[in-house]
Amino acid sequence: MATCWRLGACSLLVALWLLHCCSCGWSETTRTNGVAKGETKEQELMSHERVKRGWVWNQFFVVEEYTGTEPLYVGKIHTDSDEGEGNIKYTISGEGAGTIFIIDELTGDIHATERLDREEQSYYTLRAQARDRLTNHLLESESEFVIKVQDINDSEPKFLEGPYIGSVGELSQIGTSVMKVTASDADDPTYGSSARVVYSVLDGERFFTVDRQTGLIRTAVADLDREKQDRYELVVKATDMAGQMGGLSGSTTVTIVITDVNDNPPRFPQKMYQFSMSEGAAVGTPVGRVIATDADMGENTDMSYLIKDEEGGELFKVTTDSDTQEAIITIKKALDFESKRTHNVVVEAVNKHVDPRFSELGSFRDQTIVRVSVNDIDEPPVFHPAEGTILEVQEDARLGAVVGTVTAKDPDMENAPVRYSIDQSTDQEQIFHIDPVSGAITLGNILDRETAGWHNITVMAVEADNVSQISHSSVSIRILDVNDNPPELATPYEASICEDAKPGQLIHSISVVDRDEPQLGHRYYFTLAPEATNNRHFTLWDVKDNTAGIRTQRSGFNRHEQNVYLLPILVVDSGPPALSSTGTLTIHVCGCDPEGTIQSCNATAYAISTSLSPGALIALLVCMLILIVLVLLILTLKRHRKGQSMSEDEEDMRDNVIKYNDEGGGEQDTQAYDMSTLRNLFDFPEAKGGSSESGPELRTLPQWIQGQMSGDGEAADFSLFKGYIRKKVEQTDGDLSVPPYDSFQTYAFEGNSSPALSLSSIHTLSTTSDQDFSYLSDWGPRFRQLAGYYAPGHPEEDASV
């Protein structure tokens, strides 16, 4: 039926087009120069006047989808210069020229040779030419024209975005918008109603509707239930020609998914669950799992569980498995078969995300009972109290005294025997003992609170019938204090006062320390020791807060007469029994400036007490005796060393051999010899002769000098002595392997920057100096003999040497 209607519409359009072409006339343009109609062409050219000619045609149209066997006539082109003589040739160029469109060169008629589709191309642009048939010259300017393809309703509406999938929440109100569908028609929307589309629902119109003009799909009912049907398939049709008879149509499928809302409460499949658990299970052990089901889906099924009854909440804990939404019941506190064998726990499930719109549907929670049966096991003894025991004992308690008793019982059997012992690793000194049957703890060693105020031991209890069942308990034993330590001054106190101190001036505050710690605390009393009670210098002031102050009793202290005072102080505690000790406060008398700032103090001690104890006197005498013995030893050693030194000097007068790196040794050489050699010039020991080369034996110097001295005291001839030195020098200069042994090597300190030259005998033979050494006589008696040695002699003396 639709095909017949389409053919009829095409025939009608072709007839209308032919009628339009017959009614079209051609208009002629007038010549602008007014040339006569019969004037020849040559005359026209000779007149040098151009004639303006023009194309004459109307706009061309062609109907699409033409199905005839003959070419379809489109239209005719013509120029007003064509007089019908056949001298003009018409041609066209452009889109489809020569293929889709052909032209009669003589008449200018245009025909379409192919079937056209407006949806593929709606118009064609071509150019027309009019040429002289003989010369092929253009007679008219090339002109452009358009051939439009007229539309017919040959395209049905299409859903280009289909198939469609939409969603809407369950229990939505009527008219709730779901989604929008759109169909496209390829026909010309500006020509007729070929592209005007309307929508309708072919399948599913009971639940959904669609707007005819916009294609918007809405709900048609309010009881859409996802739990009953979670999706719907709709067929939506689009019809062109505004839905009129003969219009074309197309359809698409629309899937509408019903989304979930939390409109269903959780429900436990069972009203009671049963589990069993051993009483020895550790805290945190899972008992079992239960789950509440929910017909909803997604986050609407998220559950939270809680325990409703108070007793179950003390022993058990419930958590939610986020993956499976199960309730996990675990042990919160250790179970005891002997106390209770069965526990009924009320567990409640609640939806996490409750939608207030559905609150009238009922409570979104449910409950079930979880029954837990406790199984009995053989347990170790249990101490009472379980957290440990604290005992107390006096530090002066005798050996074997009972400190306290620990108790443990077998929880599985009444009056089952239990044996006790002490973990030796916690009491390595074996200070305590325990009775294995009664659990009584006794002392095995003497206690001292000042050494250890607490003792922590571990007591073990084991079943007599099953030694593998053992338990431990900590026992803390506090040692109670007994007043067995006297109080003492906190530090060796020292104080300083100025010489001009005023009476009643506070010098120092003192406090005490006591190793004892009575529960009620101590009260300390301060007084001066009996040996210092009659002093006239200082007084003691008890402040009554376990401290005391020392004040001056007079003025006018003099540190040159006495610069240190030792003040003995007696401290007594409150007991019982009351104990005391004596400490000493050292007080220095110092010189101060006018502002009271201490300048200097003398550290010599002077005791206020007029007498010393026998022990102090004995110690002082022993020290003095030791000092006297040390002094005697030192003197004896010095005398012995001096005797040895003198005997060595008598054996050899040449002293030590000194090795020089320069010509004069300087004053430092005095450390290597005895200066008495020159100072006691007339007390030489007897000189001994050398080898056979050294000449005759020399007499001792004192005898020789006495024999050569004249009555007026002048020096005798020293030629013999000079010869001796001369020979010694020759021996020394001749032996290059040893240092020179001079007869005299001792020199007194000559001072800095001495004008005297070197007196060394080295290189004496090779010198030719005529220096005058007579100035040596002016240096004193010690250098007169030396001046005689170096003074210029008589020629005969020089020759004899």
Side-chain angles (χ1 to χ4, degrees), residues 497-697:
I497 61 172
C498 296
E499 290 181 306
D500 57 352
K502 305 299 181 183
Q505 179 179 336
L506 179 63
I507 299 175
H508 208 282
S509 295
I510 60 175
S511 60
V512 298
V513 293
D514 195 334
R515 297 179 63 190
D516 296 319
E517 293 182 359
Q519 295 181 354
L520 300 178
H522 267 314
R523 171 72 174 90
Y524 299 103
Y525 305 92
F526 301 85
T527 60
L528 292 177
E531 60 267 24
T533 54
N534 296 325
N535 81 92
R536 297 175 292 102
H537 311 293
F538 307 99
T539 60
L540 185 142
W541 170 43
D542 194 341
V543 187
K544 306 299 184 181
D545 62 349
N546 292 339
T547 62
I550 306 300
R551 297 179 182 272
T552 58
Q553 194 173 0
R554 66 177 181 86
S555 61
F557 291 91
N558 189 343
R559 63 191 175 103
H560 298 292
E561 295 179 358
Q562 184 173 346
N563 65 328
V564 176
Y565 292 89
L566 303 178
L567 187 64
I569 300 173
L570 179 66
V571 184
V572 184
D573 63 16
S574 57
L579 300 178
S580 64
S581 68
T582 301
T584 301
L585 172 64
T586 303
I587 304 173
H588 298 273
V589 180
C590 305
C592 303
D593 59 10
E595 287 76 17
T597 304
I598 295 176
Q599 298 296 325
S600 62
C601 300
N602 193 341
T604 304
Y606 182 85
I608 291 180
S609 177
T610 56
S611 60
L612 294 176
S613 62
L617 290 174
I618 293 174
L620 183 59
L621 292 175
V622 170
C623 291
M624 293 178 64
L625 182 60
I626 292 173
L627 289 174
I628 292 172
V629 172
L630 289 175
V631 170
L632 292 176
L633 287 174
I634 292 172
L635 293 175
T636 304
L637 290 174
K638 279 190 173 184
R639 187 182 295 268
H640 179 66
R641 289 180 180 177
K642 187 173 181 181
Q644 289 182 349
S645 178
M646 291 178 63
S647 63
E648 290 176 358
D649 292 341
E650 292 175 357
E651 291 177 2
D652 192 356
M653 61 175 290
R654 295 180 301 170
D655 300 328
N656 298 329
V657 177
I658 304 301
K659 182 177 181 181
Y660 296 99
N661 292 329
D662 52 8
E663 190 177 350
E667 58 272 13
Q668 284 78 7
D669 293 341
T670 59
Q671 302 298 326
Y673 45 77
D674 190 358
M675 291 294 293
S676 62
T677 304
L678 289 180
R679 291 172 183 157
N680 301 315
L681 183 61
F682 298 100
D683 192 20
F684 283 101
E686 180 177 346
K688 296 180 181 180
S691 62
S692 60
E693 298 178 358
S694 61
E697 182 178 351

